[in-house]
């Protein structure tokens, strides 16, 4: 556990592992005090009234290729890495925007992005932060595995820090391993066309938040 107010940009940590420490009791400073942790960034995405004319992804790899396939009329931009998402938001025009980032490794950037979003008056910007694109595939049921449900329910019991420096890396390696020698063999660099088949696309998109799905994607439940 690290206690600090500053983002730790040298570490790829999840947005869901950032907490604020709350103190119970009005006079906690005088006698006994009780502290508890509350997750700070658990209520996203907020997409109310966002027309989403523009969408931003972190890179041009498999996730970008998938979103390029399923986006409706929105302009899609690659930020070229999660550290460039904020500058990409600043450089885009005044159109309503959705930024899709890997929440499993976006912890160091989320505060600065939210601060920028809060001061925007001429457009609406929403952040959607699934753990990773690979996590969305694993959750969709496209890949079958006896252990997968348990792993996704409690990944902290399976992640080995010496092998995966972030949960994003863990989910990527897990998907590559489970999909090996199947029609859904996975490469992060180039998306297997099997993932772009209508039935598969529907399974993956079905796991998206309704607010995102209804505004962005050609999807029928």
């Amino acid at each position: 556990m690290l206690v600090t107010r500053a983002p730790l940009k040298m570490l790829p940590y999840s947005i869901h592992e950032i907490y604020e420490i709350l103190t119970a009791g009005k006079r906690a400073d005088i006698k006994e005090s009780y502290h508890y942790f509350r997750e700070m960034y658990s209520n996203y995405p907020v997409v109310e009234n966002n027309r989403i004319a523009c969408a931003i992804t972190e890179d041009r790899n498999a996730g970008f290729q998938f979103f390029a396939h399923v986006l409706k009329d929105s302009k899609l931009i690659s930020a070229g890495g999660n550290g460039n998402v904020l500058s990409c938001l600043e450089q885009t025009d005044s159109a309503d925007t959705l930024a899709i980032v890997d929440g499993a490794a976006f912890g160091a950037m989320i505060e600065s992005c939210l601060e920028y979003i809060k001061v925007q008056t001429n457009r609406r910007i929403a952040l959607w932060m699934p753990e990773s694109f690979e996590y969305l595939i694993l959750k969709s049921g496209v890949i079958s595995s006896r252990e997968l449900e348990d792993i996704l329910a409690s990944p902290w019991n399976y992640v080995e820090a010496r092998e995966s420096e972030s949960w994003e890396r863990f989910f990527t390696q897990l998907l590559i391993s489970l999909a090996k020698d199947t029609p859904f063999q996975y490469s992060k660099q180039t998306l297997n066309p099997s993932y772009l088949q209508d039935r598969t696309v529907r399974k993956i998109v079905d796991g998206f938040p309704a607010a995102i799905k209804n505004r962005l994607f050609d999807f029928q439940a």
Side-chain angles (χ1 to χ4, degrees):
M1 178 185 296
L2 299 174
V3 181
T4 177
R5 294 180 183 272
L8 303 172
K9 295 187 177 181
M10 74 293 292
L11 298 175
Y13 55 95
S14 171
I15 61 163
H16 298 296
E17 296 304 321
I18 304 174
Y19 302 89
E20 57 182 338
I21 303 174
L22 303 177
T23 303
K26 294 182 179 180
R27 304 184 65 184
D29 58 321
I30 299 177
K31 202 174 181 182
E32 293 180 349
S33 62
Y34 301 89
H35 305 280
Y36 61 97
F37 294 97
R38 182 171 67 189
E39 187 178 329
M40 293 185 66
Y41 303 112
S42 59
N43 298 319
Y44 294 89
V46 179
V47 198
E48 295 176 359
N49 301 316
N50 190 327
R51 296 182 180 181
I52 308 181
C54 174
I56 296 171
T57 63
E58 290 186 17
D59 54 45
R60 290 192 175 276
N61 293 330
F64 179 90
Q65 295 161 31
F66 181 85
F67 288 114
H69 178 78
V70 297
L71 283 169
K72 285 183 179 178
D73 301 320
S74 301
K75 177 182 178 183
L76 185 62
I77 300 171
S78 168
N82 61 14
N84 299 326
V85 171
L86 177 56
S87 61
C88 193
L89 286 172
E90 294 170 337
Q91 293 169 17
T92 54
D93 56 25
S94 59
D96 285 4
T97 302
L98 171 69
I100 305 169
V101 301
D102 291 341
F106 201 69
M109 277 67 71
I110 184 172
E111 184 177 6
S112 57
C113 283
L114 290 178
E115 287 178 353
Y116 174 75
I117 290 170
K118 288 177 182 177
V119 300
Q120 298 305 297
T121 58
N122 63 335
R123 63 170 172 160
R124 294 179 177 87
I125 302 175
L127 278 177
W128 178 30
M129 300 174 286
E131 294 285 4
S132 69
F133 175 61
E134 292 77 17
Y135 175 83
L136 293 173
I137 294 175
L138 292 167
K139 287 281 288 184
S140 71
V142 171
I143 305 296
S144 298
S145 167
R146 189 173 299 176
E147 285 187 303
L148 184 54
E149 186 174 341
D150 291 338
I151 293 174
L152 294 178
S154 55
W156 49 85
N157 290 328
Y158 298 88
V159 175
E160 173 53 62
R162 288 175 296 183
E163 300 174 0
S164 304
E165 66 176 13
S166 71
W167 284 19
E168 188 271 336
R169 293 272 183 95
F170 169 74
F171 292 128
T172 298
Q173 292 303 317
L174 178 62
L175 178 56
I176 290 173
S177 174
L178 293 178
K180 185 179 180 181
D181 299 325
T182 76
F184 294 99
Q185 187 163 317
Y186 186 76
S187 167
K188 195 172 182 67
Q189 284 68 42
T190 303
L191 188 64
N192 183 336
S194 295
Y195 289 101
L196 301 180
Q197 296 176 354
D198 288 347
R199 183 178 179 183
T200 303
V201 169
R202 289 174 182 274
K203 281 187 174 183
I204 298 173
V205 172
D206 193 34
F208 293 1
I212 300 290
K213 186 166 56 181
N214 295 341
R215 284 172 169 79
L216 272 182
F217 301 101
D218 290 316
F219 178 79
Q220 298 293 325

